[in-house]
């Protein structure tokens, strides 16, 4: 199970790096629009060299931050809930009923009465996950969820760090608000995607628990 989890993390890492690099490129276009579109390399350097290095350092720090943020805090960020953020806390009270793939009667016969307390729902769901961790369908469902959950953390860190770095580089408030709005939309979209994948991941485990 540990090796599988590591494989998922290593596979997702390249997408996280691509996400950071894409954001770095977008920042560069907003910071130096005239030079970029006029292809004026002479006017772009050497001033851009210092700010580009700073942007790269900030990107690395953001990536380090993603590595040290605990899973529960990632769930809070992705699901916009302070308590019981992970969808597994509602596995049996909501998703077992709403997910059309889950045979509620068969599931209850297999595991007994469904718990009502969120923490107990989460614990039971984790036990079911551990039994089905290597199932291809579970792995296929877990991978995008973990990726989008991590990207939510990165998107929030970028939303906080990059605009600050931007306004210190470019004293243009209209560009600042436009850029900040773009990053806000990015965070919302990525978080909603994480929520969707997370909900489906919970339902997949419940479905496979009776297969």
């Amino acid at each position: 199970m540990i090796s599988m989890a590591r494989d998922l993390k290593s596979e997702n890492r390249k997408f996280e790096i691509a996400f950071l690099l894409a954001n770095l490129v977008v920042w560069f276009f907003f910071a130096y629009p005239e030079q970029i579109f006029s292809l004026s390399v002479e006017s772009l350097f050497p001033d851009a060299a210092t700010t580009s290095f700073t942007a790269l350092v900030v990107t690395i720090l953001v990536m380090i931050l993603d590595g040290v943020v605990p899973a529960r805090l990632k769930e809070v960020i992705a699901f916009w809930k302070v308590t019981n953020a992970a969808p597994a806390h509602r596995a049996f009270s909501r998703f077992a009923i709403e997910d059309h793939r889950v045979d509620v009667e068969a599931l209850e016969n297999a595991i007994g009465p469904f718990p009502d307390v969120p923490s107990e729902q989460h614990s039971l769901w984790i036990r079911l996950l551990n039994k089905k961790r290597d199932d291809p369908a579970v792995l296929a469902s877990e991978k995008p969820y973990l990726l989008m959950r991590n990207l939510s953390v990165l998107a929030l860190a970028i939303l906080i760090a990059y605009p600050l770095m931007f306004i210190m580089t470019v004293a243009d408030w209209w560009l600042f608000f436009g850029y900040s709005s773009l990053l806000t939309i990015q965070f919302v979209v990525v978080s909603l995607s994480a929520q969707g994948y997370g909900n489906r991941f919970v339902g997949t485990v419940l479905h496979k628990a009776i297969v």
Side-chain angles (χ1 to χ4, degrees), residues 32-90:
Y32 297 96
E34 295 180 3
Q35 294 90 331
I36 290 293
F37 288 111
S38 66
L39 299 179
S40 179
V41 179
E42 292 80 4
S43 63
L44 190 59
F45 292 97
D47 292 339
T50 301
T51 52
S52 298
F53 176 75
T54 303
L56 182 60
V57 170
V58 171
T59 299
I60 293 173
L61 291 176
V62 166
M63 193 168 183
I64 293 174
L65 176 65
D66 173 56
V68 299
V69 174
R72 288 190 178 182
L73 182 54
K74 290 181 179 181
E75 290 161 357
V76 169
I77 293 171
F79 289 89
W80 308 339
K81 292 177 179 289
V82 177
T83 58
N84 302 326
H89 287 96
R90 298 168 291 284

Side-chain angles (χ1 to χ4, degrees), residues 92-126:
F92 301 96
S93 59
R94 177 184 170 186
F95 297 109
I97 300 171
E98 293 183 359
D99 196 315
H100 68 277
R101 298 171 298 168
V102 179
D103 186 329
V104 177
E105 184 177 352
L107 181 61
E108 195 164 18
N109 289 335
I111 66 174
F114 295 161
D116 295 320
V117 180
S119 59
E120 293 178 359
Q121 293 188 56
H122 185 272
S123 297
L124 178 55
W125 183 84
I126 289 295

Side-chain angles (χ1 to χ4, degrees), residues 188-205:
V188 171
V189 170
V190 172
S191 296
L192 289 175
S193 180
Q195 293 171 26
Y197 280 117
N199 295 345
R200 184 165 183 81
F201 177 39
V202 170
T204 298
V205 172

